[in-house]
Amino acid sequence: MEALLTAAFPHADFTLNNDSAAHHGHAGDDGSGESHFSLTIRWAGFAGQTRVARQRAVNKALGDMPGNRVHALAIRALAPGE
């Protein structure tokens, strides 16, 4: 995911956390240890975009990963200064 985000959002600042251990045994936990993630991303290109547009951009960059290989991804997408 990090490589896809870096390619799609040049010069973005992001933190990607693997939260899978906190969801062990819950729905969507496939035992791989890589089912639930949270992302905070700050990118100048998000300025003037709605929250929905920002999340759509992140999902587009990640392709089929969320919903298939990754059960859950919490996205916090910000512009600089937010």
Side-chain angles (χ1 to χ4, degrees):
M1 277 195 279
E2 290 179 354
L4 293 170
L5 293 167
T6 299
F9 305 104
H11 309 291
D13 229 0
F14 66 86
T15 304
L16 181 64
N17 294 310
N18 184 341
D19 304 322
S20 301
H23 298 276
H24 181 71
H26 296 177
D29 176 27
D30 64 1
S32 69
E34 294 191 349
S35 60
H36 293 73
F37 291 84
S38 57
L39 168 69
T40 300
I41 182 167
R42 189 176 313 274
W43 183 54
F46 289 145
Q49 290 187 3
T50 66
R51 182 180 58 85
V52 172
R54 294 171 185 189
Q55 291 197 0
R56 284 181 179 152
V58 171
N59 284 323
K60 182 179 177 183
L62 295 176
D64 69 349
M65 197 171 287
N68 288 324
R69 291 178 36 204
V70 173
H71 174 71
L73 173 64
I75 301 169
R76 185 167 183 235
L78 308 166
E82 295 181 340

